[in-house]
Coordinates of all heavy atoms in Angstrom, one line a residue:
M1 N -79.5 -60.9 -6.8 CA -78.2 -61.3 -6.3 C -78.0 -60.6 -4.9 O -78.3 -59.4 -4.7 CB -77.1 -60.7 -7.2 CG -75.8 -61.0 -6.9 SD -74.7 -60.5 -8.2 CE -73.2 -61.1 -7.7
A2 N -77.7 -61.4 -3.9 CA -77.5 -61.0 -2.6 C -76.2 -60.3 -2.4 O -75.1 -60.7 -3.0 CB -77.6 -62.1 -1.6
S3 N -76.1 -59.2 -1.6 CA -74.8 -58.6 -1.3 C -74.5 -58.7 0.2 O -75.4 -58.8 1.0 CB -74.9 -57.1 -1.7 OG -75.8 -56.4 -1.0
T4 N -73.2 -58.6 0.5 CA -72.8 -58.7 1.9 C -72.4 -57.3 2.4 O -71.7 -56.6 1.7 CB -71.5 -59.6 2.0 OG1 -71.9 -60.9 1.5 CG2 -71.1 -59.8 3.4
V5 N -72.8 -57.0 3.5 CA -72.5 -55.7 4.2 C -71.6 -56.0 5.3 O -71.9 -56.8 6.2 CB -73.7 -54.9 4.6 CG1 -73.3 -53.7 5.4 CG2 -74.6 -54.6 3.5
R6 N -70.3 -55.3 5.4 CA -69.5 -55.5 6.5 C -69.5 -54.3 7.3 O -69.4 -53.1 6.8 CB -68.0 -55.7 6.0 CG -67.8 -57.0 5.3 CD -66.4 -57.1 4.8 NE -65.8 -58.3 5.2 CZ -64.6 -58.7 5.0 NH1 -63.7 -57.8 4.5 NH2 -64.2 -59.9 5.3
V7 N -69.6 -54.4 8.6 CA -69.6 -53.3 9.5 C -68.4 -53.4 10.4 O -68.1 -54.4 11.0 CB -70.9 -53.3 10.4 CG1 -70.9 -52.2 11.4 CG2 -72.2 -53.3 9.5
F8 N -67.6 -52.4 10.4 CA -66.4 -52.4 11.3 C -66.7 -51.5 12.5 O -67.2 -50.4 12.5 CB -65.2 -51.7 10.5 CG -64.8 -52.6 9.4 CD1 -65.3 -52.4 8.1 CD2 -64.0 -53.7 9.5 CE1 -64.9 -53.2 7.0 CE2 -63.5 -54.4 8.5 CZ -64.0 -54.2 7.2
D9 N -66.2 -52.0 13.7 CA -66.3 -51.3 14.9 C -65.2 -50.3 15.0 O -64.0 -50.7 15.1 CB -66.2 -52.3 16.1 CG -66.4 -51.6 17.5 OD1 -66.5 -50.4 17.5 OD2 -66.3 -52.4 18.4
P10 N -65.5 -48.9 15.0 CA -64.4 -47.9 15.0 C -63.7 -47.8 16.4 O -62.7 -47.2 16.5 CB -65.2 -46.7 14.7 CG -66.5 -46.9 15.2 CD -66.8 -48.3 15.0
A11 N -64.3 -48.5 17.4 CA -63.7 -48.3 18.7 C -62.4 -49.1 18.9 O -61.6 -48.7 19.7 CB -64.7 -48.8 19.8
G12 N -62.2 -50.1 18.1 CA -60.9 -50.8 18.2 C -60.8 -51.6 19.5 O -61.8 -51.8 20.1
H13 N -59.6 -51.9 19.8 CA -59.3 -52.7 21.1 C -58.7 -51.8 22.1 O -57.6 -51.2 21.8 CB -58.5 -53.9 20.8 CG -59.1 -54.8 19.8 ND1 -60.2 -55.7 20.1 CD2 -58.9 -55.0 18.5 CE1 -60.5 -56.3 19.1 NE2 -59.8 -56.0 18.0
V14 N -59.3 -51.6 23.2 CA -58.7 -50.7 24.3 C -57.8 -51.5 25.1 O -58.1 -52.6 25.6 CB -59.9 -50.1 25.1 CG1 -59.3 -49.3 26.2 CG2 -60.8 -49.3 24.3
R15 N -56.6 -51.0 25.3 CA -55.6 -51.6 26.1 C -55.2 -50.7 27.2 O -54.8 -49.6 27.0 CB -54.4 -51.9 25.3 CG -53.3 -52.6 26.1 CD -52.1 -53.0 25.2 NE -51.0 -53.3 26.0 CZ -49.8 -53.0 25.8 NH1 -49.4 -52.3 24.7 NH2 -48.8 -53.3 26.6
V16 N -55.4 -51.1 28.5 CA -55.1 -50.4 29.6 C -53.9 -51.0 30.4 O -54.0 -52.2 30.7 CB -56.3 -50.2 30.6 CG1 -56.0 -49.4 31.8 CG2 -57.5 -49.6 29.8
V17 N -52.9 -50.2 30.6 CA -51.8 -50.8 31.4 C -51.6 -49.9 32.6 O -51.5 -48.6 32.5 CB -50.5 -50.7 30.5 CG1 -49.3 -51.2 31.3 CG2 -50.6 -51.5 29.3
E18 N -51.7 -50.5 33.7 CA -51.5 -49.7 35.0 C -50.0 -49.6 35.3 O -49.3 -50.6 35.3 CB -52.3 -50.4 36.1 CG -52.3 -49.6 37.4 CD -53.2 -50.2 38.4 OE1 -54.3 -50.7 38.1 OE2 -52.9 -50.1 39.6
V19 N -49.6 -48.4 35.6 CA -48.2 -48.2 36.0 C -48.1 -47.4 37.3 O -49.1 -46.6 37.5 CB -47.3 -47.5 34.9 CG1 -47.2 -48.4 33.7 CG2 -47.9 -46.2 34.6
E20 N -47.1 -47.6 38.0 CA -46.9 -46.8 39.3 C -46.2 -45.5 38.9 O -45.3 -45.4 38.1 CB -46.0 -47.6 40.2 CG -46.0 -47.0 41.6 CD -45.2 -47.9 42.6 OE1 -45.4 -49.1 42.5 OE2 -44.5 -47.3 43.4
A21 N -46.7 -44.4 39.5 CA -46.2 -43.1 39.3 C -44.8 -43.0 39.9 O -44.5 -43.6 40.9 CB -47.0 -42.0 39.8
A22 N -43.9 -42.2 39.3 CA -42.6 -41.9 39.9 C -42.7 -41.3 41.2 O -43.6 -40.4 41.4 CB -41.7 -41.1 39.0
P23 N -41.9 -41.5 42.1 CA -41.9 -40.8 43.4 C -41.6 -39.3 43.3 O -40.8 -39.0 42.4 CB -40.9 -41.5 44.3 CG -40.0 -42.2 43.3 CD -40.7 -42.5 42.1
R24 N -42.4 -38.5 44.0 CA -42.1 -37.1 44.0 C -41.0 -36.7 44.8 O -40.8 -37.2 46.0 CB -43.3 -36.4 44.6 CG -44.3 -35.9 43.5 CD -45.4 -35.2 44.3 NE -45.4 -33.8 43.7 CZ -46.5 -33.1 43.6 NH1 -47.6 -33.5 44.2 NH2 -46.5 -31.9 43.0
P25 N -40.1 -35.8 44.4 CA -38.9 -35.4 45.2 C -39.5 -34.5 46.3 O -40.5 -33.8 46.2 CB -38.0 -34.6 44.2 CG -39.0 -34.2 43.1 CD -40.1 -35.2 43.0
A26 N -38.7 -34.4 47.4 CA -39.1 -33.6 48.5 C -39.0 -32.1 48.1 O -39.7 -31.3 48.6 CB -38.2 -33.9 49.8
S27 N -38.0 -31.8 47.2 CA -37.8 -30.4 46.8 C -37.3 -30.4 45.4 O -36.7 -31.4 44.9 CB -36.8 -29.8 47.7 OG -36.3 -28.6 47.2
L28 N -37.5 -29.4 44.6 CA -37.0 -29.2 43.3 C -35.5 -28.6 43.3 O -34.8 -28.6 42.3 CB -37.9 -28.3 42.5 CG -39.2 -28.9 42.1 CD1 -40.0 -27.8 41.3 CD2 -39.1 -30.1 41.3
G29 N -35.1 -28.2 44.5 CA -33.8 -27.5 44.6 C -32.7 -28.4 44.2 O -32.6 -29.5 44.5
G30 N -31.9 -27.8 43.2 CA -30.7 -28.6 42.7 C -31.1 -29.5 41.6 O -30.2 -30.0 40.9
L31 N -32.3 -29.7 41.2 CA -32.7 -30.6 40.2 C -32.6 -30.0 38.8 O -32.7 -28.8 38.7 CB -34.1 -31.2 40.4 CG -34.4 -32.0 41.6 CD1 -35.8 -32.5 41.6 CD2 -33.5 -33.2 41.7
R32 N -32.3 -30.8 37.8 CA -32.1 -30.2 36.4 C -33.4 -30.4 35.7 O -33.9 -31.5 35.5 CB -31.0 -31.0 35.7 CG -29.6 -30.9 36.4 CD -28.7 -31.9 35.8 NE -29.3 -33.2 36.0 CZ -28.8 -34.3 35.4 NH1 -27.8 -34.2 34.5 NH2 -29.3 -35.5 35.6
P33 N -34.1 -29.3 35.2 CA -35.4 -29.4 34.5 C -35.1 -29.8 33.1 O -34.1 -29.6 32.4 CB -35.9 -28.0 34.6 CG -34.7 -27.1 34.6 CD -33.7 -27.9 35.5
G34 N -36.1 -30.5 32.5 CA -36.1 -30.8 31.1 C -37.5 -30.5 30.5 O -38.5 -30.4 31.1
I35 N -37.4 -30.2 29.2 CA -38.6 -30.0 28.4 C -38.7 -31.0 27.2 O -37.7 -31.1 26.5 CB -38.6 -28.5 27.8 CG1 -38.8 -27.5 29.0 CG2 -39.7 -28.3 26.7 CD1 -38.7 -26.1 28.5
L36 N -39.8 -31.6 27.0 CA -40.1 -32.4 25.8 C -41.2 -31.7 25.0 O -42.3 -31.8 25.4 CB -40.4 -33.8 26.1 CG -40.7 -34.7 24.9 CD1 -39.5 -34.8 23.9 CD2 -41.1 -36.1 25.3
E37 N -40.8 -30.9 24.0 CA -41.9 -30.2 23.3 C -42.2 -30.9 21.9 O -41.4 -31.6 21.4 CB -41.4 -28.7 23.0 CG -40.1 -28.6 22.2 CD -40.4 -28.4 20.8 OE1 -41.6 -28.1 20.4 OE2 -39.4 -28.4 20.0
N38 N -43.4 -30.7 21.5 CA -43.9 -31.4 20.3 C -44.0 -30.5 19.0 O -44.7 -30.9 18.2 CB -45.2 -32.1 20.6 CG -46.3 -31.0 20.8 OD1 -46.1 -29.8 20.9 ND2 -47.6 -31.5 21.0
R39 N -43.2 -29.5 19.0 CA -43.1 -28.6 17.8 C -44.4 -27.9 17.5 O -44.5 -27.3 16.4 CB -42.6 -29.4 16.6 CG -41.3 -30.1 16.8 CD -40.9 -30.8 15.6 NE -39.6 -31.6 16.0 CZ -39.3 -32.7 15.4 NH1 -40.1 -33.2 14.5 NH2 -38.3 -33.3 15.8
K40 N -45.4 -27.9 18.4 CA -46.6 -27.0 18.1 C -46.2 -25.6 18.5 O -45.4 -25.4 19.4 CB -47.8 -27.5 18.9 CG -48.4 -28.7 18.5 CD -49.8 -29.0 19.2 CE -50.5 -30.0 18.5 NZ -51.9 -30.1 19.0
P41 N -46.9 -24.6 17.8 CA -46.6 -23.3 18.1 C -46.8 -23.0 19.6 O -47.8 -23.3 20.2 CB -47.7 -22.5 17.3 CG -48.0 -23.4 16.2 CD -47.9 -24.8 16.7
N42 N -45.8 -22.3 20.1 CA -45.8 -21.8 21.5 C -45.6 -22.9 22.6 O -45.5 -22.6 23.8 CB -47.1 -21.0 21.8 CG -47.2 -19.8 20.9 OD1 -46.2 -19.1 20.8 ND2 -48.3 -19.6 20.4
A43 N -45.5 -24.2 22.2 CA -45.3 -25.2 23.3 C -44.0 -25.0 24.0 O -44.0 -25.0 25.2 CB -45.3 -26.6 22.6
R44 N -42.9 -24.8 23.3 CA -41.6 -24.6 24.0 C -41.6 -23.3 24.8 O -41.2 -23.2 25.9 CB -40.5 -24.6 23.0 CG -39.2 -24.4 23.6 CD -38.1 -24.6 22.6 NE -36.7 -24.4 23.3 CZ -35.6 -24.7 22.8 NH1 -35.5 -25.2 21.6 NH2 -34.5 -24.5 23.4
V45 N -42.2 -22.2 24.2 CA -42.3 -20.9 24.9 C -43.1 -21.1 26.2 O -42.6 -20.6 27.3 CB -43.0 -19.9 24.1 CG1 -43.2 -18.6 24.8 CG2 -42.2 -19.6 22.8
L46 N -44.2 -21.8 26.2 CA -45.0 -22.0 27.4 C -44.3 -22.8 28.5 O -44.1 -22.4 29.6 CB -46.3 -22.8 27.0 CG -47.2 -23.2 28.2 CD1 -47.7 -21.9 28.9 CD2 -48.3 -24.0 27.7
M47 N -43.6 -23.9 28.0 CA -42.8 -24.7 29.0 C -41.6 -24.0 29.5 O -41.3 -24.2 30.7 CB -42.6 -26.1 28.4 CG -43.8 -26.9 28.3 SD -43.6 -28.6 27.8 CE -43.4 -28.4 26.0
E48 N -40.9 -23.2 28.7 CA -39.7 -22.5 29.2 C -40.2 -21.4 30.3 O -39.6 -21.2 31.2 CB -39.0 -21.8 28.1 CG -38.2 -22.7 27.3 CD -37.5 -22.1 26.1 OE1 -37.9 -21.0 25.7 OE2 -36.5 -22.7 25.6
A49 N -41.4 -20.8 30.1 CA -41.9 -19.9 31.0 C -42.3 -20.6 32.3 O -42.1 -20.1 33.4 CB -43.2 -19.2 30.4
M50 N -42.7 -21.8 32.2 CA -43.0 -22.6 33.4 C -41.8 -22.9 34.2 O -41.7 -22.8 35.4 CB -43.8 -23.9 33.1 CG -45.1 -23.7 32.5 SD -45.9 -25.2 31.8 CE -46.1 -26.2 33.3
V51 N -40.7 -23.3 33.5 CA -39.5 -23.5 34.2 C -38.9 -22.2 34.8 O -38.5 -22.3 36.0 CB -38.4 -24.0 33.2 CG1 -37.0 -24.0 33.8 CG2 -38.8 -25.5 32.7
E52 N -39.0 -21.1 34.1 CA -38.6 -19.8 34.7 C -39.4 -19.5 36.0 O -38.8 -19.0 37.0 CB -38.6 -18.7 33.7 CG -37.6 -18.8 32.7 CD -36.2 -19.0 33.2 OE1 -35.8 -18.2 34.1 OE2 -35.5 -20.0 32.8
E53 N -40.7 -19.8 36.0 CA -41.5 -19.6 37.2 C -41.0 -20.5 38.3 O -40.9 -20.1 39.5 CB -42.9 -19.9 36.9 CG -43.9 -19.7 38.0 CD -44.0 -18.3 38.5 OE1 -43.8 -17.3 37.7 OE2 -44.4 -18.0 39.7
L54 N -40.6 -21.7 38.0 CA -40.1 -22.6 39.0 C -38.8 -22.1 39.5 O -38.4 -22.3 40.7 CB -40.0 -24.0 38.5 CG -41.3 -24.8 38.2 CD1 -40.9 -26.1 37.4 CD2 -42.0 -25.0 39.5
R55 N -38.0 -21.5 38.7 CA -36.7 -21.0 39.1 C -36.9 -19.9 40.2 O -36.0 -19.7 41.0 CB -35.9 -20.4 37.9 CG -35.3 -21.4 37.1 CD -34.3 -20.8 36.1 NE -34.0 -21.7 35.0 CZ -33.1 -22.7 35.2 NH1 -32.5 -22.9 36.3 NH2 -32.9 -23.5 34.2
G56 N -38.0 -19.2 40.2 CA -38.3 -18.2 41.2 C -38.6 -18.9 42.5 O -38.6 -18.2 43.6
R57 N -38.8 -20.2 42.6 CA -39.2 -20.9 43.8 C -38.1 -21.8 44.3 O -38.1 -22.2 45.5 CB -40.5 -21.7 43.6 CG -41.7 -20.9 43.2 CD -42.8 -21.7 42.8 NE -43.9 -20.9 42.3 CZ -45.2 -21.2 42.4 NH1 -45.6 -22.2 42.9 NH2 -46.1 -20.4 41.9
A58 N -37.2 -22.3 43.4 CA -36.2 -23.2 43.7 C -35.0 -23.0 42.8 O -35.1 -22.5 41.7 CB -36.7 -24.6 43.5
T59 N -33.8 -23.3 43.3 CA -32.6 -23.2 42.5 C -32.5 -24.4 41.6 O -32.3 -25.5 42.1 CB -31.4 -23.1 43.4 OG1 -31.5 -22.0 44.3 CG2 -30.1 -23.0 42.6
L60 N -32.6 -24.2 40.4 CA -32.6 -25.4 39.4 C -31.4 -25.4 38.6 O -30.7 -24.4 38.4 CB -33.8 -25.3 38.4 CG -35.2 -25.3 39.0 CD1 -36.3 -25.1 37.9 CD2 -35.5 -26.5 39.8
G61 N -31.0 -26.6 38.2 CA -29.9 -26.8 37.3 C -30.1 -26.3 35.9 O -31.2 -25.7 35.6
E62 N -29.2 -26.7 35.0 CA -29.3 -26.3 33.6 C -30.5 -27.0 32.9 O -30.8 -28.2 33.2 CB -28.0 -26.7 32.8 CG -28.0 -26.3 31.4 CD -26.7 -26.6 30.8 OE1 -25.7 -26.7 31.5 OE2 -26.6 -26.6 29.5
L63 N -31.2 -26.3 32.0 CA -32.3 -26.8 31.3 C -31.9 -27.7 30.1 O -31.1 -27.3 29.3 CB -33.2 -25.6 30.8 CG -34.4 -26.0 29.9 CD1 -35.4 -26.8 30.6 CD2 -35.0 -24.7 29.3
A64 N -32.5 -28.9 30.0 CA -32.3 -29.7 28.9 C -33.6 -29.7 28.0 O -34.7 -29.8 28.6 CB -32.0 -31.2 29.3
V65 N -33.4 -29.6 26.7 CA -34.6 -29.6 25.8 C -34.6 -30.7 24.8 O -33.5 -31.0 24.2 CB -34.6 -28.2 25.1 CG1 -35.8 -28.1 24.1 CG2 -34.7 -27.0 26.1
G66 N -35.7 -31.3 24.6 CA -35.9 -32.3 23.6 C -37.1 -32.1 22.7 O -38.0 -31.3 23.2
S67 N -37.1 -32.5 21.6 CA -38.2 -32.3 20.7 C -38.7 -33.6 20.1 O -37.9 -34.5 19.9 CB -37.7 -31.4 19.6 OG -38.8 -30.9 18.8
K68 N -40.0 -33.7 19.8 CA -40.6 -34.9 19.2 C -41.7 -34.5 18.1 O -42.1 -33.3 18.2 CB -41.3 -35.7 20.3 CG -42.5 -35.1 20.9 CD -43.1 -36.1 21.9 CE -44.7 -36.0 21.9 NZ -45.3 -36.3 20.7
P69 N -42.0 -35.4 17.3 CA -43.1 -35.1 16.3 C -44.4 -34.9 17.1 O -44.6 -35.3 18.2 CB -43.1 -36.3 15.5 CG -41.9 -37.1 15.8 CD -41.4 -36.7 17.1
V70 N -45.3 -34.1 16.4 CA -46.6 -33.8 17.0 C -47.3 -35.1 17.4 O -47.9 -35.1 18.5 CB -47.5 -33.0 16.0 CG1 -48.9 -32.8 16.5 CG2 -46.8 -31.6 15.8
S71 N -47.4 -36.1 16.5 CA -48.2 -37.2 16.8 C -47.4 -38.5 17.0 O -47.8 -39.6 16.7 CB -49.2 -37.4 15.6 OG -48.4 -37.6 14.5
G72 N -46.2 -38.4 17.6 CA -45.4 -39.5 17.8 C -44.5 -39.4 19.0 O -44.4 -38.4 19.6
P73 N -43.8 -40.5 19.3 CA -42.9 -40.5 20.5 C -41.6 -39.8 20.2 O -41.2 -39.6 19.0 CB -42.7 -42.0 20.7 CG -42.8 -42.6 19.4 CD -43.9 -41.8 18.7
P74 N -40.8 -39.5 21.2 CA -39.5 -39.0 20.9 C -38.5 -40.0 20.3 O -38.8 -41.2 20.6 CB -39.0 -38.5 22.3 CG -39.8 -39.3 23.2 CD -41.1 -39.6 22.6
S75 N -37.5 -39.6 19.6 CA -36.6 -40.6 19.2 C -35.8 -41.2 20.4 O -35.8 -40.6 21.5 CB -35.5 -39.9 18.2 OG -34.8 -39.0 18.9
R76 N -35.2 -42.3 20.2 CA -34.3 -42.9 21.3 C -33.2 -41.9 21.7 O -33.0 -41.8 22.9 CB -33.7 -44.2 20.8 CG -32.9 -44.8 21.9 CD -32.5 -46.2 21.8 NE -33.4 -47.2 22.0 CZ -34.1 -47.5 23.2 NH1 -34.1 -46.6 24.1 NH2 -34.8 -48.6 23.3
R77 N -32.7 -41.2 20.7 CA -31.6 -40.2 21.0 C -32.1 -39.1 21.9 O -31.5 -38.7 22.9 CB -31.0 -39.6 19.8 CG -29.9 -38.7 19.9 CD -29.4 -38.3 18.6 NE -28.3 -37.3 18.8 CZ -27.7 -36.7 17.8 NH1 -28.0 -37.0 16.6 NH2 -26.8 -35.8 18.1
T78 N -33.3 -38.6 21.6 CA -33.9 -37.5 22.4 C -34.2 -38.1 23.8 O -34.0 -37.4 24.8 CB -35.2 -37.0 21.7 OG1 -34.8 -36.4 20.5 CG2 -35.9 -36.0 22.6
F79 N -34.8 -39.3 23.9 CA -35.2 -39.9 25.2 C -33.9 -40.0 26.0 O -33.9 -39.7 27.2 CB -35.8 -41.2 24.9 CG -36.2 -41.9 26.2 CD1 -37.4 -41.6 26.8 CD2 -35.4 -42.9 26.7 CE1 -37.8 -42.3 28.0 CE2 -35.7 -43.6 27.9 CZ -36.9 -43.2 28.5
E80 N -32.8 -40.5 25.5 CA -31.6 -40.7 26.2 C -31.0 -39.4 26.6 O -30.5 -39.3 27.7 CB -30.5 -41.5 25.4 CG -31.0 -42.9 25.1 CD -31.1 -43.7 26.5 OE1 -30.4 -43.5 27.4 OE2 -32.0 -44.6 26.5
H81 N -31.1 -38.4 25.8 CA -30.5 -37.0 26.1 C -31.2 -36.5 27.4 O -30.6 -36.0 28.3 CB -30.7 -36.0 25.0 CG -30.4 -34.6 25.3 ND1 -29.2 -34.1 25.5 CD2 -31.3 -33.6 25.5 CE1 -29.2 -32.8 25.8 NE2 -30.5 -32.5 25.8
L82 N -32.6 -36.6 27.4 CA -33.4 -36.1 28.5 C -33.1 -37.0 29.8 O -33.0 -36.4 30.9 CB -34.9 -36.0 28.2 CG -35.2 -34.9 27.2 CD1 -36.7 -35.1 26.8 CD2 -35.0 -33.6 27.8
R83 N -33.0 -38.2 29.6 CA -32.7 -39.1 30.7 C -31.4 -38.8 31.4 O -31.2 -38.9 32.6 CB -32.8 -40.6 30.2 CG -32.8 -41.6 31.4 CD -33.2 -42.9 30.8 NE -32.0 -43.7 30.8 CZ -32.0 -45.0 30.7 NH1 -33.2 -45.6 30.5 NH2 -30.9 -45.7 30.7
E84 N -30.4 -38.4 30.5 CA -29.0 -38.2 31.1 C -28.9 -36.8 31.6 O -28.1 -36.6 32.5 CB -28.0 -38.4 29.9 CG -27.8 -39.8 29.5 CD -26.9 -40.0 28.4 OE1 -26.1 -39.0 28.1 OE2 -26.9 -41.1 27.7
H85 N -29.6 -35.8 31.1 CA -29.4 -34.4 31.4 C -30.6 -33.7 32.2 O -30.5 -32.6 32.5 CB -29.1 -33.6 30.2 CG -27.9 -34.0 29.5 ND1 -27.9 -34.9 28.4 CD2 -26.6 -33.7 29.7 CE1 -26.7 -35.1 28.1 NE2 -25.9 -34.4 28.8
A86 N -31.6 -34.5 32.6 CA -32.7 -33.9 33.3 C -33.2 -34.8 34.4 O -33.2 -36.0 34.3 CB -33.9 -33.6 32.4
D87 N -33.6 -34.2 35.5 CA -34.0 -34.9 36.7 C -35.6 -35.0 36.7 O -36.2 -35.8 37.3 CB -33.5 -34.3 38.0 CG -32.1 -34.3 38.1 OD1 -31.5 -35.4 37.9 OD2 -31.5 -33.3 38.3
F88 N -36.2 -34.0 36.0 CA -37.6 -34.1 35.7 C -37.9 -33.4 34.4 O -37.1 -32.6 34.0 CB -38.4 -33.4 36.9 CG -38.2 -31.9 37.0 CD1 -39.1 -31.0 36.4 CD2 -37.2 -31.3 37.7 CE1 -39.0 -29.6 36.5 CE2 -37.1 -30.0 37.9 CZ -37.9 -29.1 37.2
V89 N -39.0 -33.8 33.7 CA -39.3 -33.3 32.4 C -40.7 -32.8 32.3 O -41.6 -33.5 32.7 CB -39.0 -34.4 31.4 CG1 -39.4 -33.9 30.0 CG2 -37.6 -34.9 31.4
L90 N -40.9 -31.6 31.8 CA -42.2 -31.1 31.5 C -42.6 -31.6 30.1 O -41.8 -31.5 29.1 CB -42.2 -29.6 31.5 CG -41.9 -28.9 32.8 CD1 -41.9 -27.4 32.7 CD2 -42.8 -29.4 33.9
V91 N -43.8 -32.1 30.0 CA -44.3 -32.6 28.6 C -45.7 -31.9 28.4 O -46.5 -31.9 29.3 CB -44.5 -34.1 28.6 CG1 -45.0 -34.6 27.3 CG2 -43.2 -34.8 29.0
G92 N -45.9 -31.4 27.2 CA -47.2 -30.8 26.9 C -47.2 -30.3 25.5 O -46.3 -30.5 24.7
S93 N -48.3 -29.7 25.2 CA -48.5 -29.1 23.8 C -49.2 -27.8 23.9 O -49.8 -27.5 25.0 CB -49.3 -30.1 22.9 OG -50.6 -30.2 23.4
S94 N -49.1 -27.0 22.9 CA -49.8 -25.8 22.9 C -50.1 -25.4 21.4 O -49.5 -25.9 20.5 CB -48.9 -24.7 23.5 OG -49.5 -23.5 23.6
D95 N -50.9 -24.4 21.2 CA -51.2 -23.8 19.9 C -51.4 -22.4 20.0 O -51.7 -21.8 21.0 CB -52.5 -24.4 19.3 CG -52.2 -25.8 18.6 OD1 -51.1 -25.9 18.0 OD2 -53.1 -26.6 18.6

C-alpha cells in the first residue's frame, strides 16, 4: 500500500509593505513623550529612564504610558490614548 507524504514550507508567505517614516521634529522641546511597554520585566523602567535622560536635554511635557501584550498589538483604547496624549512614543522590550 502506497502512502502519501506531505511537506509543508515553514517559511510561509512573506509580505513586505514599504511605508514612509514620520518626519523628525527639529527639537524635542515642548513635546509630550509616550511609552508603549509590552509588560516584560524592566521594559517600562528602561523606557522611563530614557525619557528622564531626554528631560536633561529638552523640556518635555507630561509622560503618557500605554501597555500592550507581549506578543500582540495595543488595544484601540491604548492606541488612541497615546495618539491623543503623546507627540512621540518610545516602543521596546526588555528582560
Side-chain angles (χ1 to χ4, degrees):
M1 180 173 189
S3 64
T4 302
V5 175
R6 291 179 134 185
V7 177
F8 293 96
D9 181 357
H13 301 284
V14 177
R15 180 176 166 221
V16 177
V17 178
E18 189 173 322
V19 295
E20 189 173 322
R24 265 186 121 152
S27 167
L28 293 178
L31 298 182
R32 301 167 300 165
I35 290 173
L36 178 59
E37 62 95 9
N38 66 353
R39 301 181 188 149
K40 282 191 168 188
N42 299 315
R44 183 172 176 167
V45 172
L46 175 64
M47 288 186 280
E48 285 178 342
M50 292 170 69
V51 169
E52 288 310 308
E53 181 67 25
L54 289 173
R55 286 189 192 284
R57 300 172 187 211
T59 303
L60 299 178
E62 187 175 337
L63 175 63
V65 178
S67 189
K68 71 175 212 63
V70 171
S71 62
S75 68
R76 179 164 283 306
R77 183 177 178 182
T78 297
F79 180 82
E80 291 299 327
H81 171 74
L82 290 171
R83 193 166 106 163
E84 291 175 18
H85 297 95
D87 299 307
F88 69 95
V89 177
L90 300 177
V91 180
S93 65
S94 185
D95 276 326

